[in-house]
Amino acid sequence: MQTDEAAEVVLRRLLDHLRASYTHTGRVYGDTVQIFQRYRTLRPYLVELPVSSVPSSTGAQGAQSSTTVHMIGLGGTIPILYHSNTYNIPITILLPPAYPYEAPSAFVQPTSSMELKQPHPHVNAHGRCHFTYLTGWRPQTCTVLVVVEILRKAFSEQPPVRSKASSTASSHSVLPVHAPSSPASHHPPPASSACPSPSLSPTGLLT
């Protein structure tokens, strides 16, 4: 399966830049490249967070002596199939410096035309995703690619976002039915959710 070479180049540069932080660069690279082979709508980028707002599952608070933490994020969209239609769900995944010995963190990041659907069995009010695969993370067998696949399956059953316009018009319309006419920027969730906004835009409804 063909790999997204541009994404690979960015990933290699990020790992080289963060070599002092990531102790298992080979595993990070190998697992992430598998995502690029299947999802060209996800891209790596550099994340800079205040230590106080780093997701607890990353374990990065104690790994840094400075006031900020740098790590690799994967941002973009994943396609889901809902009621025979394909939609793009905007997500961000954070890879902690201790990966794979620390589980990644996954977030849904609604665009300006979307809002989180609450309550949701797998996404809290800040957009953070919760699955037993993450809470029962096993470094030798679990991978971030499987996290993406789990997100797709769960969101195809119960989408985590809905259109702001349709949410007031109909409780049954849970997703935008048209692609945005221009790229929409991500809205960062509250600081307590510790997820930055990637410089990527979702493409809306797939055709």
Side-chain angles (χ1 to χ4, degrees), residues 25-101:
T25 56
R27 178 68 186 276
V28 173
Y29 181 82
D31 287 2
T32 308
V33 164
Q34 291 183 49
I35 292 178
F36 302 152
Q37 291 175 343
R38 291 174 170 83
Y39 303 99
R40 290 177 174 268
T41 52
L42 291 175
R43 292 289 187 274
Y45 68 105
L46 179 64
V47 177
E48 181 177 354
L49 295 173
V51 172
S52 60
S53 65
V54 173
S56 57
S57 65
T58 66
Q61 295 97 326
Q64 306 265 340
S65 58
S66 63
T67 58
T68 59
V69 174
H70 294 86
M71 66 181 74
I72 294 172
L74 302 175
T77 63
I78 55 173
I80 66 166
L81 187 65
Y82 183 70
H83 288 180
S84 301
N85 291 313
T86 303
Y87 299 92
N88 283 341
I89 303 300
I91 66 166
T92 289
I93 296 177
L94 302 182
L95 295 177
Y99 181 91
Y101 291 93

Side-chain angles (χ1 to χ4, degrees), residues 11-203:
L11 177 61
R12 285 196 294 267
R13 289 176 178 173
L14 288 174
L15 285 172
D16 184 63
H17 177 69
L18 299 173
R19 189 169 298 276
S21 300
Y22 283 84
T23 54
H24 305 280
T25 56
R27 178 68 186 276
V28 173
Y29 181 82
D31 287 2
T32 308
V33 164
Q34 291 183 49
I35 292 178
F36 302 152
Q37 291 175 343
R38 291 174 170 83
Y39 303 99
R40 290 177 174 268
T41 52
L42 291 175
R43 292 289 187 274
Y45 68 105
L46 179 64
V47 177
E48 181 177 354
L49 295 173
V51 172
S52 60
S53 65
V54 173
S56 57
S57 65
T58 66
Q61 295 97 326
Q64 306 265 340
S65 58
S66 63
T67 58
T68 59
V69 174
H70 294 86
M71 66 181 74
I72 294 172
L74 302 175
T77 63
I78 55 173
I80 66 166
L81 187 65
Y82 183 70
H83 288 180
S84 301
N85 291 313
T86 303
Y87 299 92
N88 283 341
I89 303 300
I91 66 166
T92 289
I93 296 177
L94 302 182
L95 295 177
Y99 181 91
Y101 291 93
E102 292 286 347
S105 299
F107 299 82
V108 175
Q109 290 199 279
T111 68
S112 59
S113 63
M114 302 176 186
E115 64 184 5
L116 290 171
K117 190 168 182 269
Q118 291 289 302
H120 192 277
H122 300 297
V123 182
N124 69 16
H126 299 308
R128 187 165 185 176
C129 304
H130 299 277
F131 295 92
T132 55
Y133 188 81
L134 291 173
T135 56
W137 183 265
R138 298 181 178 181
Q140 301 301 331
T141 58
C142 294
T143 70
V144 66
L145 173 62
V146 176
V147 173
V148 176
E149 298 291 355
I150 289 173
L151 292 175
R152 284 192 65 193
K153 183 178 185 299
F155 295 164
S156 291
E157 295 173 356
Q158 296 191 52
V161 295
R162 62 186 170 196
S163 168
K164 286 183 177 179
S166 64
S167 66
T168 56
S170 171
S171 60
H172 299 292
S173 182
V174 298
L175 288 171
V177 294
H178 299 291
S181 58
S182 61
S185 60
H186 288 307
H187 281 278
S192 59
S193 68
C195 182
S197 294
S199 56
L200 298 170
S201 298
T203 56

